[in-house]
Amino acid sequence: MPLQNRVQPDGEIITHPARGGFMGNRGILHDESGLHPKRRWAHRNWVCCVLRFKGRQRQLMAPRRYTELFFLDEAVAFAAGHRPCAECRAADYQRFRSCCEVPGPAAALDRQLHCERAVPRVFRQHRHVNVAASDLPDGSFILDADGQSGALVGDAFYPYAPEGYKTARKRPHGTVTLLTPPSIVAAFRAGYRPQIALEGAQT
């Protein structure tokens, strides 16, 4: 039976059978009954990890262990406010930090991202409205006029679904609602290229 551990671009966690291409965590969010209905993070260092690392084996949602979360791809993880793990993705983390404008240690970056993605005690992702679609770099996640989330790549908008991206549409004109935190978008502008699983999407 699928577990409630699949992260969406807006940061919410749903039940879905597809595992995704990356794993991550926000701390212990579950108990013996499954995901806690009101808890969506336990600490600020939300990370995005590889699925396999040094042969380590984990039991999903084991008691008193962090809750394993899964993302379709890195662009979705970034949209939800996760950043590369400094351990299992050390090279990606260093590339990201070299492109990121937030100075200081990882804790400073995590504090900044938390301000851009979450509101204390109520899980509601910050949505940055009236952003010019033409100014957003590849990998940015937005909401279109119909409230559909999707990734911008070149001149295209790829609508998101948990099982994968749908047929591409033209990039919207005018202003849109941005889901990806601005500090992460700035890193994209500076040269970081997020991994996007477009293999099955139609253009």
Side-chain angles (χ1 to χ4, degrees):
M1 184 177 209
L3 299 173
Q4 186 180 356
N5 59 10
R6 186 65 181 273
V7 180
Q8 302 304 282
D10 64 359
E12 191 51 273
I13 306 170
I14 67 169
T15 302
H16 195 276
R19 187 180 187 190
F22 287 86
M23 188 184 79
N25 85 79
R26 306 172 185 173
I28 301 174
L29 311 180
H30 68 279
D31 55 24
E32 63 278 2
S33 300
L35 197 72
H36 192 281
K38 294 184 178 180
R39 194 173 202 188
R40 290 297 179 269
W41 68 84
H43 53 60
R44 293 177 178 176
N45 55 316
W46 297 13
V47 296
C48 174
C49 305
V50 293
L51 296 178
R52 295 177 179 84
F53 182 65
K54 294 185 176 180
R56 296 176 185 175
Q57 299 291 323
R58 296 184 60 86
Q59 173 191 342
L60 295 183
M61 291 191 174
R64 296 179 295 281
R65 298 294 182 91
Y66 75 76
T67 303
E68 298 85 358
L69 303 173
F70 295 92
F71 317 92
L72 172 65
D73 59 20
E74 188 182 26
V76 172
F78 275 129
H82 290 247
R83 49 97 173 156
C85 174
E87 181 184 11
C88 68
R89 299 183 60 203
D92 289 337
Y93 174 76
Q94 291 301 328
R95 284 195 305 113
F96 179 73
R97 289 312 309 267
S98 69
C99 293
C100 187
E101 297 175 351
V102 180
L109 172 62
D110 292 334
R111 284 194 298 271
Q112 179 64 32
L113 292 180
H114 203 66
C115 290
E116 296 177 8
R117 72 189 171 211
V119 175
R121 288 191 291 276
V122 179
F123 185 83
R124 178 173 60 82
Q125 185 192 40
H126 282 303
R127 295 177 175 181
H128 308 277
V129 300
N130 298 324
V131 178
S134 60
D135 291 341
L136 292 173
D138 288 358
S140 301
F141 255 82
I142 65 165
L143 295 177
D144 69 8
D146 298 322
Q148 168 68 55
S149 64
L152 297 176
V153 180
D155 293 331
F157 168 74
Y158 287 87
Y160 169 84
E163 63 274 12
Y165 295 98
K166 302 302 182 182
T167 302
R169 307 173 187 169
K170 291 288 292 182
R171 179 186 281 245
H173 295 290
T175 59
V176 295
T177 297
L178 175 66
L179 293 181
T180 308
S183 293
I184 293 176
V185 172
F188 294 172
R189 286 197 180 100
Y192 189 92
R193 297 292 179 261
Q195 299 179 49
I196 309 175
L198 293 178
E199 294 83 0
Q202 298 181 14
T203 57

